Amino acid sequence: MLRIAVQSKGRLYDETMLLLEEAGIKLNRGKRILLLSAKGFPVELLFLRDDDIPQSVANGVADIGIVGENEYVEKGGEARLVRRLGFSKCRLSLAIPKNEEYKGVEWFEGKTIATSYPEVLRAYLKQNGVNAALHVISGSVEIAPGIGLADAIFDIVSSGSTLVSNRLKEVEVVLPCEALLIANNHLTEEKQAILNELLFRFEAIQLAEGKKYVLLNAPKERLHEIIELLPGMRSPTITPLVDEGWISVQSVIAEKHFWEIIGKLKALGAEGILVLPIEKMIV
């Protein structure tokens, strides 16, 4: 049995549970409890505060964990980083009052900065040769300048709306963050095998993200030009049609280039273009 530490609430919790569901891990849901087992796959979930996850994985209370990069970096790297998961993206940033003029990081010299991430901030200030006082608080960091506790803040920023509502502006991005999969350094062979299967499922989900499956009919004489637009995973699938001189083409394209590619395909004579979502992709 592999024990996974996950955040007990918030956006990271929601996206983690969605990932596990897409990976075929069905949970024995009932009354909300600290430890929850799964059906059909040998894992159990341990629900913790986000800042408790890195240490819980490092000391073996949990075997692996899904945690924000901000907490992993702040709490130290005693647990090993296994995979970047690509969701719950945000950033650790410095912000100052909106009406302050900012010309560079030297603005923070001699100032007081409120934060819940003192280790990350100390390293950044040292790297930039800035001497500032740190006021360490947990929660509601953004109100500190407004009530006179600090001159600036260092905190998690997602949309930036919280900064705006507190008349602050983001001036330095110190650490881009996302969800990470971390693991204890001393997993047994059995637990490592379960983790490997879990990673295989996660990879299949991640590979499918932002991609579409395309089927179309096209003139055979334009095949070379069409292949240049639709390389596929290795190469597109080509099937001759009953109508002589026509072929069917099947391939995978990135969603961000979808409309650009579809327009070019139509210009090359492609017809009957069918676009399908991809749930999983295994290579």
Side-chain angles (χ1 to χ4, degrees), residues 89-110:
K89 291 189 177 182
C90 55
R91 55 201 181 272
L92 276 173
S93 295
L94 283 159
I96 66 174
K98 186 179 179 180
N99 59 358
E100 288 282 345
E101 184 181 0
Y102 185 79
K103 294 183 178 179
V105 70
E106 61 274 8
W107 184 93
F108 295 97
E109 182 70 29

Side-chain angles (χ1 to χ4, degrees), residues 43-94:
V43 299
E44 59 184 5
L45 269 60
L46 177 64
F47 296 101
L48 298 173
R49 285 168 46 99
D50 55 350
D51 54 353
D52 287 335
I53 293 176
Q55 193 58 42
S56 296
V57 173
N59 62 26
V61 171
D63 300 307
I64 66 173
I66 295 177
V67 66
E69 190 167 357
N70 50 307
E71 294 297 344
Y72 178 68
V73 175
E74 175 66 22
K75 302 300 180 183
E78 294 177 38
R80 63 186 171 97
L81 172 59
V82 177
R83 181 184 293 274
R84 293 181 171 274
L85 296 175
F87 59 82
S88 289
K89 291 189 177 182
C90 55
R91 55 201 181 272
L92 276 173
S93 295
L94 283 159

